[in-house]
Amino acid sequence: MQSQEEVKATFKLILIGDGESGKTTFVKRHLTGEFNVQHNATLGVEVNHLLFHTNRGVFRFDVWDIAGHEMFDGLRDGYFIRSQCAIIMFDTAKANTYNNVNRWHRDLVGVCGDIPIVICGNKVDIMPKKSWKTCINFDRKSILYHIEMSARTNYNIEKPFVYLLKKLVGDPSLKLVQSPAIQPPKVVFTDEMSCQVERFLDEATSYTLPPTYD
Ligand code: GDP
Ligand code: MG
């Protein structure tokens, strides 16, 4: 693990979304986070420090993961404050978690204003088509960037962080120069599964997605 001196900047990242969408699993896939976990029992959060080695230096995210208090309540403003970026996660297999994305987004922006945000559709290893279409409808109406991923298979697991770093550092050509330390996948995301995702996304190209740097 890199020493603290070599970290060029640290960003507070708030990880939100409905319970059971996979937030804690996602952050725990990153092994570096295991070293410096902090708990704040009052706010009900766990903060994991994740390092990313890029062509612009080493950056750290302090990822604030809500510890079982995903309900819409007054506590949340306390951990939204001073967030510099955010991931809103939903479960692609559960429409109700998608339906709440707008609400999470509205509440987040209400406290944090215009910060870089990624919407992450997790559990694409389950991938029910109907839910995927619902998710894509959301993006068609939205200017928000979204990434489909699986915390179970590690599919696209580093992409939300790379996207946020590009925005925060202001360099669209920023890229990882070292793979993040990630636990091995629980199941392997096969080529066939990848192709299914690609095919489905191809079917949905009749609209313009927001610009990406990929
Ligand atoms: P949180 O409440 O948002 O923090 O969700 P958790 O991380 O506790 O995950 C809820 C459940 O979803 C757990 O049983 C995880 O094992 C499961 N899970 C998380 N990510 C994935 C994924 O990508 N695919 C599948 N199939 N299950 C997942
Ligand atoms: Mg959790």
Side-chain angles (χ1 to χ4, degrees):
M1 191 174 166
Q2 287 278 326
S3 66
Q4 187 64 33
E5 293 73 47
E6 291 165 303
V7 174
K8 277 187 97 172
T10 298
F11 301 108
K12 176 178 173 181
L13 189 166
I14 185 90
L15 176 58
I16 53 179
D18 280 9
E20 301 288 303
S21 53
K23 300 182 298 298
T24 301
T25 307
F26 170 60
V27 78
K28 294 290 183 196
R29 304 304 286 158
H30 295 259
L31 291 170
T32 49
E34 304 285 357
F35 289 98
N36 282 310
V37 162
Q38 293 172 356
H39 293 274
N40 184 323
T42 316
L43 284 177
V45 295
E46 185 174 294
V47 183
N48 292 264
H49 309 303
L50 307 188
L51 291 178
F52 291 88
H53 301 253
T54 78
N55 56 337
R56 295 289 303 268
V58 180
F59 295 95
R60 184 176 118 178
F61 284 109
D62 289 351
V63 183
W64 286 46
D65 178 24
I66 303 168
H69 286 270
E70 288 93 345
M71 300 294 287
F72 297 101
D73 62 37
L75 273 181
R76 289 174 311 145
D77 287 4
Y79 46 73
F80 282 177
I81 287 168
R82 286 189 289 278
S83 295
Q84 292 156 293
C85 55
I87 293 173
I88 304 176
M89 186 167 284
F90 68 93
D91 179 343
T92 51
K94 285 196 196 143
N96 60 316
T97 70
Y98 143 72
N99 287 329
N100 280 330
V101 167
N102 278 326
R103 196 168 173 187
W104 283 107
H105 180 256
R106 185 196 61 205
D107 291 357
L108 174 71
V109 171
V111 175
C112 300
D114 184 22
I115 57 171
I117 299 169
V118 191
I119 309 292
C120 284
N122 189 35
K123 308 195 188 181
V124 295
D125 54 289
I126 302 175
M127 222 172 43
K129 266 200 166 188
K130 192 165 174 287
S131 297
W132 268 104
K133 283 192 174 161
T134 318
C135 305
I136 286 168
N137 284 340
F138 172 79
D139 288 302
R140 177 164 48 184
K141 288 183 226 140
S142 162
I143 55 162
L144 294 168
Y145 183 73
H146 98 287
I147 290 171
E148 58 280 355
M149 56 161 288
S150 168
R152 188 180 169 107
T153 64
N154 290 346
Y155 177 68
N156 279 347
I157 200 158
E158 78 296 344
K159 274 203 174 173
F161 298 102
V162 175
Y163 172 80
L164 291 174
L165 281 175
K166 284 175 177 173
K167 292 284 184 192
L168 291 161
V169 175
D171 182 357
S173 64
L174 179 142
K175 58 181 184 215
L176 296 183
V177 292
Q178 192 176 311
S179 297
I182 289 175
Q183 292 183 45
K186 289 221 168 116
V187 280
V188 176
F189 201 78
T190 62
D191 284 349
E192 194 194 340
M193 289 161 90
S194 267
C195 286
Q196 274 182 283
V197 173
E198 296 299 329
R199 268 202 305 277
F200 191 72
L201 291 175
D202 280 350
E203 285 171 18
T205 50
S206 55
Y207 59 89
T208 311
L209 279 172
T212 76
Y213 298 119
D214 293 329

